[in-house]
Amino acid sequence: MFQEKEQFLSRNEIEQVQLEKLKKQVKHAYDNVPMYKRKFDDLGLRPEDIKTLKDVAKVPFTVKNDLRDHYPYGILAVPLDEVNRIHASSGTTGVPTVVSYTEQDLNTWSDLMARCYSCAGADDRDIIQNAYGYGLFTGGLGFHMGAERLRAMVVPTATGNTKRQIRMMKDMKTTVLCCTPSYALYLIEALEEEGVDPEELSIKIGMFGAEPWSDETRKHIEKSLHIKAQDLYGMSELYGPGVAVECPEQDGLHIWTDEFLVETIDPDTGDVLPEGEKGEIVFTMLTRQAMPLLRYRTRDLAVINWEKCKCGRSHPRIMRIKGRTDDMLIVGGVNVFPSQIEDILVGIEELGEQFQIILETAKLDHLYVQVEVSPQFWGKVDLSELSAKVGKSLQESLTLRARVELLEPGTIPRTQGKAKKVIDKRKVI
Ligand code: DLL
């Protein structure tokens, strides 16, 4: 099977590989990236000071702004003519974050993505429909290269044209579907509208990622499409998709730690947290040539579990991404994560999957939640009773009063990429 060996490295073997690669990578970054040389010199740190894995805590952090400050080409450690490709994320703050790859980087990324497919249960006989966006976004090309490396067959539908997606799924007998969980939800509705019974499809596995999604959403997708819905994590700065993925146990996402050294830190103090504590995830890329990132702060919050998984893999697991440090909303002085609101809403049977959080400014910050009623319940429930029930649940969990508006199924705009679940109107007022 593809990259069988790397998937099943023991913790000891992982740590050996990590130390060997870490030493080389720190030297590569120090020797070739002026920013790292400066950061190290300021601390009086030399690459030779990194002798054990624990020494990584001495290395200065890298943050997204370091990349933005190096626009357009990012933190290059190789001459430009050795760069084979760039990707970029649009960024809400204006300056795009550009990431660069050498030929070897693209190769490593393809291997990692092939490994993800294999870990999730796919193999070279699969027909993989890739409905992630192709282009500057890393989703499309990342899933594409990985599928080719796996020697499976790719149907590169990209995003959009839902009718054609469904036609391809049926006619090509797609067995693996790759898209955001939001788009999977939309496809389920579209299949129903088109009168296509999911039984007619051949899909077995969904590879869903690029945004947070809940266990309830997973259950809904699995039940509606009769598939196994696997979570996959990544980010553009870390090649793209392919950093971590679920195995069939669906008990956390295995991080490929022979390529990504992972730490959890306290986002406020920067201190390394003991194993198993929730914190901000920090990655050091161990072989990236074009753009070596040392201790990159992802702003993603999660718990890392180092216990060996039932599947036999020792690569530690991210126990689902619980939100981002920069996603945290402060409403009337209370800290709220959109994922907390989602958890409450999905627990109410009468509601659909689609919701939006709108922050308004009245005298105090105001939380306003719009949520669709589930099609089975629309027209059958008393809306004022239901909205009072939703408001009460939100208040109990968040200690915050929210205005709830129940919407007819299909009202909230559907997305083909990442869903925009929070609309913050406070900034523009
Ligand atoms: O979203 C790469 C990707 C493409 C991952 C396709 C998976 C599938 P960015 O656009 O740079 O890259 O966004 C990265 O998205 O820091 C997380 O906050 C979030 N994210 C990605 N995967 C997951 C996931 C791609 N499985 C940012 N669960 C990350 C929760 C996720 N959040």
Side-chain angles (χ1 to χ4, degrees):
M1 208 208 273
F2 198 84
Q3 289 214 330
E4 181 97 45
K5 197 174 121 273
E6 288 83 351
Q7 286 189 55
F8 290 94
L9 291 174
S10 69
R11 182 155 182 185
N12 244 342
E13 288 168 326
I14 291 172
E15 289 180 350
Q16 269 173 25
V17 175
Q18 283 183 330
L19 184 59
E20 204 176 295
K21 289 184 177 175
L22 177 69
K23 287 184 189 164
K24 276 196 202 143
Q25 188 68 349
V26 166
K27 189 165 167 18
H28 174 53
Y30 182 86
D31 289 347
N32 298 299
V33 181
M35 179 192 81
Y36 280 119
K37 181 168 182 336
R38 212 171 36 243
K39 284 188 187 221
F40 273 58
D41 288 350
D42 285 350
L43 293 172
L45 186 70
R46 303 196 48 83
E48 308 81 77
D49 296 334
I50 308 303
K51 296 191 177 82
T52 67
L53 283 178
K54 284 226 157 51
D55 288 337
V56 74
K58 298 179 184 162
V59 172
F61 291 120
T62 312
V63 294
K64 199 174 186 105
N65 269 346
D66 289 327
L67 272 86
R68 293 218 180 96
D69 292 348
H70 291 77
Y71 183 79
Y73 281 114
I75 302 168
L76 269 194
V78 298
L80 198 54
D81 63 3
E82 280 177 34
V83 174
N84 253 209
R85 195 197 296 162
I86 61 134
H87 280 282
S89 61
S90 50
T92 38
T93 50
V95 184
T97 310
V98 179
V99 293
S100 45
Y101 310 72
T102 61
E103 190 180 349
Q104 181 192 300
D105 292 335
L106 291 173
N107 240 321
T108 311
W109 183 19
S110 305
D111 281 346
L112 286 167
M113 270 308 297
R115 216 198 275 190
C116 286
Y117 280 115
S118 157
C119 179
D123 63 31
D124 56 357
R125 291 160 299 182
D126 275 304
I127 298 171
I128 299 178
Q129 185 158 332
N130 184 11
Y132 282 105
Y134 281 64
L136 286 173
F137 177 54
T138 52
L141 283 163
F143 273 84
H144 185 101
M145 292 184 310
E148 287 187 342
R149 183 60 52 95
L150 187 71
R151 296 172 166 253
M153 182 182 134
V154 198
V155 185
T157 44
T159 49
N161 203 336
T162 304
K163 280 203 166 95
R164 197 175 56 179
Q165 298 274 5
I166 294 175
R167 170 150 206 182
M168 284 288 141
M169 258 181 236
K170 270 185 9 191
D171 296 352
M172 301 300 139
K173 301 202 171 16
T174 299
T175 56
V176 177
L177 171 66
C178 307
C179 62
T180 60
S182 299
Y183 191 54
L185 290 175
Y186 177 45
L187 271 172
I188 292 169
E189 292 176 342
L191 283 168
E192 205 173 306
E193 265 163 39
E194 296 280 305
V196 179
D197 181 352
E199 287 285 352
E200 291 172 44
L201 305 175
S202 314
I203 311 175
K204 299 178 306 190
I205 299 170
M207 309 262 296
F208 304 126
E211 59 181 359
W213 49 306
S214 65
D215 263 331
E216 294 299 321
T217 302
R218 184 213 301 273
K219 279 185 210 142
H220 173 73
I221 297 175
E222 292 196 329
K223 207 169 110 214
S224 310
L225 295 178
H226 315 297
I227 62 171
K228 250 187 124 95
Q230 304 293 103
D231 197 358
L232 184 142
Y233 168 85
M235 66 195 303
S236 344
E237 296 90 319
L238 308 170
Y239 294 125
V243 176
V245 69
E246 280 181 324
C247 65
E249 296 290 332
Q250 296 185 326
D251 189 19
L253 290 76
H254 290 280
I255 307 166
W256 302 126
T257 35
D258 52 322
E259 284 295 338
F260 304 97
L261 191 142
V262 65
E263 298 167 275
T264 317
I265 62 158
D266 177 326
D268 298 324
T269 63
D271 292 341
V272 178
L273 295 173
E275 272 176 25
E277 266 185 43
K278 179 178 166 185
E280 180 180 346
I281 307 299
V282 171
F283 287 108
T284 295
M285 301 185 84
L286 291 172
T287 57
R288 182 75 168 268
Q289 277 188 323
M291 196 187 75
L293 289 183
L294 305 180
R295 299 195 89 203
Y296 187 69
R297 291 186 62 158
T298 60
R299 294 187 277 189
D300 288 324
L301 295 169
V303 172
I304 310 280
N305 180 356
W306 273 93
E307 276 168 37
K308 192 169 177 175
C309 179
K310 283 203 203 92
C311 71
R313 291 177 182 87
S314 298
H315 286 284
R317 286 164 285 157
I318 309 180
M319 307 313 280
R320 238 176 224 281
I321 304 287
K322 271 294 171 196
R324 292 174 58 81
T325 51
D326 49 1
D327 263 1
M328 191 177 76
L329 308 168
I330 303 179
V331 189
V334 179
N335 296 350
V336 186
F337 284 100
S339 62
Q340 279 177 291
I341 297 179
E342 178 167 9
D343 282 346
I344 298 162
L345 299 179
V346 294
I348 301 174
E349 193 195 0
E350 297 93 332
L351 301 179
E353 287 78 29
Q354 304 286 339
F355 71 94
Q356 259 176 351
I357 301 162
I358 300 165
L359 294 166
E360 300 170 321
T361 304
K363 259 201 175 137
L364 270 174
D365 290 335
H366 199 95
L367 179 67
Y368 168 29
V369 177
Q370 288 185 325
V371 56
E372 289 183 8
V373 174
S374 142
Q376 292 102 288
F377 285 92
W378 181 250
K380 295 187 191 125
V381 284
D382 181 314
L383 292 183
S384 60
E385 263 174 38
L386 180 57
S387 92
K389 177 170 150 184
V390 177
K392 192 161 166 266
S393 300
L394 289 170
Q395 181 157 22
E396 276 170 9
S397 309
L398 308 174
T399 63
L400 201 69
R401 203 182 281 279
R403 182 154 70 91
V404 177
E405 189 185 356
L406 298 175
L407 304 175
E408 187 175 350
T411 320
I412 294 176
R414 300 320 193 228
T415 172
Q416 304 180 341
K418 305 190 192 215
K420 188 165 171 48
K421 290 186 175 149
V422 180
I423 300 170
D424 196 342
K425 295 189 180 166
R426 297 176 300 183
K427 288 177 192 142
V428 289
I429 291 171

